């Protein structure tokens, strides 16, 4: 079956179409299209994501991306029948996104209903104005094309991103249940027990900043652009290439807290004080600071994951979310895999940061385990709302 997925929870507008066959134990999954448009350049001027700006950009780009994804998947054809489109309902759904409604009506008039089986859409957590653009698009397509909607939790999407994880000989690695997931992104730092697909238990999370947020803030202190993770990581690698000892070392807050929670705010402040104490910070010093910060983060993440592993019995470790793209953090978890002999699954780089393919994959998991959450009757569409603070487990 073919699932079209929409993701607009933060600053990436993304559409993907996958084909999924078979059961959960050995599914055959293929990606027919996966388009992502990042708003990074627009937000980087402000050093962070502005919800109203994000919403406007999603509204501007979602229809061109939708068309692109259909064309790429070979599912686009022009509508030459004069079939009715749900104009009145579409206008009602988009009553708060007036700039989008005409484009949407135009798209519906000109596009034949594609051969897809369901529409998956992120409904939280994230920025509510941004989420609504995706949700309203899904509602309209569901009405016009008569397809069910699968509401998806963005966090389950990050977990599902490892379903396409390839091992050394290109064979797909399947996580043995129960598995332990660590989601590390710009908005999340969460340890989750996956009893089985669809059965999640929250084990611990950040009490202040998310780990990606800490990367972004420290990067800013080092005069690096937003989002700070990738340039900070490059800077840190330079320090590792020298023979010199790193003169900086930063604290590991909550390392010995006895629970599975995290804190990154103290670490961030410690970097700030270190920088403020110096009269000026040389390029070399910046590299050492970036390196010491990254090492502190990796140490905290691995340490808490180890603790969670000790408290349960797990068949796999899943590390996903934007920060899992970090090469030092990847290496640290590969070491943990060697030490514990528990298989590690990290998504492909293209599926680490926000994308819609992971939302389609989560949609597949929901189809197989939680049919009751799928909206098949258009009367129930109004029950689907953006949930900015949606939790998992
Ligand atoms: O998953 P994601 O795209 O969006 C959220 O759901 O939050 O994650 C974005 C975060 C940003 O904070 C970004 O700085 C961080 O992931 N990130 C990285 C790297 N690539 C992205 N952090 C550290 N190292 C990286 N290579
Ligand atoms: Zn994310």
């Amino acid at each position: 079956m073919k699932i079209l997925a929409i993701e607009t929870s933060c600053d990436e507008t993304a559409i993907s179409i996958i084909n999924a066959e078979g059961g959960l134990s050995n599914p055959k999954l293929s990606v027919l299209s996966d388009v992502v448009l990042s708003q990074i350049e627009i937000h980087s001027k402000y050093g962070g994501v502005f919800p109203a700006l994000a919403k406007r950009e999603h509204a501007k780009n979602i229809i061109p991306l939708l068309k692109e994804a259909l064309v790429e998947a070979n599912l686009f054809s022009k509508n030459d029948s004069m079939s009715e489109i749900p104009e009145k309902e579409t206008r009602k759904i988009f009553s708060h996104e007036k700039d989008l409604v005409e484009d949407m009506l135009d798209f519906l008039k000109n596009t034949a209903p594609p051969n897809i089986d369901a529409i998956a859409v992120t409904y939280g957590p994230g920025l509510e104005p941004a989420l609504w653009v995706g949700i309203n698009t899904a509602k309209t397509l569901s009405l016009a094309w008569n397809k069910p909607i699968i509401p998806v939790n963005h966090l389950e999407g990050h977990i599902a991103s490892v379903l396409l994880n390839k091992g050394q000989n290109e064979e797909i690695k399947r996580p043995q249940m129960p598995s332990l997931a660590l989601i590390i992104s710009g908005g999340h730092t969460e340890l989750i027990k996956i009893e089985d697909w669809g059965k999640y238990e929250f084990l611990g999370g950040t009490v202040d900043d998310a780990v990606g947020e800490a990367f972004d803030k420290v990067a800013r202190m080092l005069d690096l652009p937003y989002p700070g993770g990738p340039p900070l990581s490059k800077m840190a690698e330079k320090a590792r290439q020298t023979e010199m000892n790193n003169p900086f070392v930063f604290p590991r807050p909550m390392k010995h807290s006895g629970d599975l929670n995290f804190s990154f705010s103290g670490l961030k402040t410690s970097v700030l004080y270190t920088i403020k104490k110096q009269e000026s910070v040389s390029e070399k010093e910046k590299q050492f600071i970036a390196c010491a910060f990254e090492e502190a983060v990796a140490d905290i993440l691995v340490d808490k994951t180890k603790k969670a592993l000790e408290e349960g019995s797990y068949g796999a470790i899943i590390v996903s979310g934007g920060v899992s793209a970090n090469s030092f953090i990847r290496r640290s978890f590969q070491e943990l895999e060697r030490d514990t002999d528990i298989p590690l699954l990290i998504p492909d780089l293209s599926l680490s940061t926000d994308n819609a393919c992971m939302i389609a994959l989560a949609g597949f998991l929901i189809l197989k385990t939680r049919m009751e959450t799928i909206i098949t009757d258009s009367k129930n569409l109004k029950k689907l709302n953006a949930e900015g603070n949606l939790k998992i487990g």
Side-chain angles (χ1 to χ4, degrees):
M1 70 162 46
K2 295 191 180 72
I3 305 171
L4 179 146
I6 304 172
E7 155 67 42
T8 62
S9 68
C10 192
D11 57 349
E12 263 94 23
T13 320
I15 310 273
S16 173
I17 303 170
I18 67 162
N19 189 38
E21 305 292 341
L24 273 181
S25 54
N26 197 19
K28 297 232 166 343
L29 303 164
S30 54
V31 183
L32 305 181
S33 61
D34 182 24
V35 295
V36 183
L37 189 86
S38 172
Q39 305 172 1
I40 279 173
E41 271 185 32
I42 291 152
H43 296 289
S44 65
K45 288 189 218 117
Y46 308 99
V49 181
F50 267 76
L53 196 57
K55 172 188 161 157
R56 203 185 69 195
E57 287 301 307
H58 287 308
K60 194 167 93 191
N61 297 316
I62 196 149
I63 293 171
L65 286 178
L66 194 54
K67 184 162 178 201
E68 191 183 327
L70 287 170
V71 169
E72 207 179 297
N74 243 332
L75 291 170
F76 179 82
S77 53
K78 273 205 147 323
N79 195 11
D80 24 5
S81 75
M82 295 305 283
S83 55
E84 282 279 304
I85 60 158
E87 179 166 346
K88 211 174 96 208
E89 293 86 343
T90 303
R91 290 195 186 278
K92 203 166 156 203
I93 288 171
F94 284 108
S95 58
H96 296 286
E97 287 110 8
K98 292 228 162 56
D99 35 347
L100 185 52
V101 75
E102 299 305 329
D103 291 353
M104 181 56 87
L105 289 169
D106 208 47
F107 172 79
L108 291 179
K109 269 179 212 147
N110 288 303
T111 310
N115 176 20
I116 58 161
D117 300 280
I119 299 161
V121 64
T122 306
Y123 72 107
L127 307 168
E128 289 192 2
L131 286 162
W132 274 116
V133 178
I135 292 172
N136 288 339
T137 302
K139 285 185 181 185
T140 309
L141 299 181
S142 159
L143 271 176
W145 297 343
N146 197 18
K147 308 287 177 196
I149 293 191
I150 315 172
V152 175
N153 182 324
H154 181 83
L155 296 173
E156 185 170 16
H158 274 304
I159 293 175
S161 66
V162 298
L163 280 174
L164 290 174
N165 194 268
K166 296 224 174 74
Q168 264 175 349
N169 36 20
E170 291 289 294
E171 209 169 282
I172 301 249
K173 276 200 206 169
R174 301 267 166 241
Q176 268 230 343
M177 297 300 170
S179 291
L180 178 70
L182 174 70
I183 302 177
I184 41 178
S185 74
H188 298 277
T189 315
E190 295 185 18
L191 271 165
I192 295 154
K193 178 178 184 176
I194 310 173
E195 194 58 54
D196 206 340
W197 290 124
K199 291 194 186 132
Y200 306 111
E201 184 191 341
F202 175 84
L203 300 176
T206 181
V207 298
D208 41 54
D209 291 352
V211 60
E213 205 179 338
F215 264 97
D216 295 338
K217 287 177 178 166
V218 167
R220 213 169 158 184
M221 296 173 202
L222 298 171
D223 304 313
L224 296 168
Y226 173 85
L232 189 146
S233 158
K234 264 195 208 130
M235 199 171 225
E237 284 301 328
K238 287 198 184 125
R240 278 185 204 104
Q241 282 155 13
T242 69
E243 299 284 300
M244 282 162 68
N245 280 333
N246 194 332
F248 301 102
V249 55
F250 295 119
R252 274 80 167 139
M254 285 183 74
K255 183 163 171 171
H256 303 292
S257 63
D259 56 21
L260 296 175
N261 288 329
F262 303 83
S263 163
F264 294 101
S265 155
L267 170 58
K268 174 194 73 189
T269 313
S270 174
V271 176
L272 182 67
Y273 286 160
T274 302
I275 294 172
K276 279 200 166 157
K277 252 196 330 230
Q278 316 248 122
E279 249 170 49
S280 68
V281 187
S282 70
E283 198 53 31
K284 190 91 254 150
E285 282 168 330
K286 281 186 183 173
Q287 292 166 7
F288 279 125
I289 289 171
C291 178
F293 166 76
E294 209 174 52
E295 280 169 7
V297 170
D299 190 27
I300 297 165
L301 294 175
V302 169
D303 198 74
K304 292 282 172 167
T305 305
K306 235 188 226 166
K307 187 167 163 49
L309 291 173
E310 282 159 16
E311 290 175 6
S313 162
Y314 293 98
I317 310 165
I318 292 172
V319 181
S320 64
V323 180
S324 74
N326 182 284
S327 48
F328 185 75
I329 291 174
R330 281 180 176 242
R331 293 204 293 277
S332 306
F333 277 96
Q334 280 154 1
E335 238 168 74
L336 180 69
E337 179 184 34
R338 282 194 291 277
D339 291 350
T340 58
D341 237 355
I342 302 175
L344 170 72
L345 280 87
I346 302 186
D348 266 10
L349 279 182
S350 68
L351 294 187
S352 301
T353 47
D354 288 350
N355 62 86
C357 182
M358 69 183 197
I359 303 304
L361 293 167
F364 167 70
L365 293 178
I366 294 169
L367 271 169
K368 293 289 169 190
T369 56
R370 284 151 287 159
M371 273 300 274
E372 71 283 0
T373 64
I374 294 170
I375 304 173
T376 46
D377 185 339
S378 61
K379 281 205 248 4
N380 292 329
L381 282 180
K382 54 180 176 303
K383 290 188 190 152
L384 177 59
N385 292 301
E387 293 184 30
N389 294 316
L390 185 66
K391 304 272 180 276
I392 190 166

